Amino acid sequence: MSTRDELIAIASTYLFQGLLEHKPDEVLFAEDCVRMEMGWETGGNAQQLRELLAGDAYLANKAITDLVWVVEDPYVDARFCLELHGMDVVMRIATRFRIENGEIKHIEILFNGGELHSLIMQATEPLRTDL
């Protein structure tokens, strides 16, 4: 069993090294990690997720604010606002991580993109691996 701080540190690699710092190789993914966004599977393994995080779409991410953690091993929930460069829109995001053996095994993302919501949903459709 991991401590609360250890679980948060593991999940934080996705938020900070992955989403903000554009260092996907530092994210602690399990090799078979699956990512779901708004009910769609948008990543089925560590290599695919690292490639996605290295893409241009994530360069717009500016800052994470109002971050709140809820931890119940093996689950770590992060609720936060994501600020984007050059936009007044703030995305509200809820992300659940399942941590196993010190790695992120599963990610479930729900978000409200405000004015950008429908655009983001259209942009993520080609990432779906469940079609």
Side-chain angles (χ1 to χ4, degrees):
M1 182 173 287
S2 300
T3 69
R4 181 179 195 278
D5 289 342
E6 289 169 336
L7 293 168
I8 289 172
I10 294 164
S12 289
T13 65
Y14 179 83
L15 298 182
F16 296 101
Q17 282 81 9
L19 296 181
L20 293 181
E21 296 175 14
H22 314 294
K23 298 176 183 175
D25 290 335
E26 295 181 13
V27 179
L28 298 175
F29 289 125
E31 286 306 312
D32 59 347
C33 182
V34 173
R35 182 180 74 177
M36 304 289 294
E37 285 184 79
M38 304 297 283
W40 294 350
E41 184 177 315
T42 56
N45 61 60
Q47 179 181 345
Q48 186 179 44
L49 291 171
R50 287 190 175 99
E51 289 171 4
L52 290 171
L53 288 172
D56 291 343
Y58 292 93
L59 294 175
N61 296 346
K62 178 181 175 182
I64 290 174
T65 61
D66 303 323
L67 177 59
V68 175
W69 296 102
V70 177
V71 179
E72 188 173 331
D73 191 359
Y75 298 100
V76 178
D77 294 342
R79 296 183 185 109
F80 58 95
C81 294
L82 179 64
E83 296 179 9
L84 305 173
H85 288 287
M87 298 182 201
D88 290 333
V89 175
V90 174
M91 293 182 58
R92 287 164 181 78
I93 302 175
T95 303
R96 170 166 275 193
F97 301 91
R98 188 173 76 235
I99 309 295
E100 292 182 8
N101 301 315
E103 297 176 316
I104 301 168
K105 178 80 171 178
H106 191 270
I107 305 168
E108 176 78 25
I109 303 166
L110 300 173
F111 62 86
N112 180 335
E115 297 170 11
L116 296 176
H117 192 83
S118 62
L119 179 65
I120 293 167
M121 291 300 294
Q122 290 171 6
T124 59
E125 190 164 354
L127 301 176
R128 288 179 63 178
T129 58
D130 60 338
L131 294 176

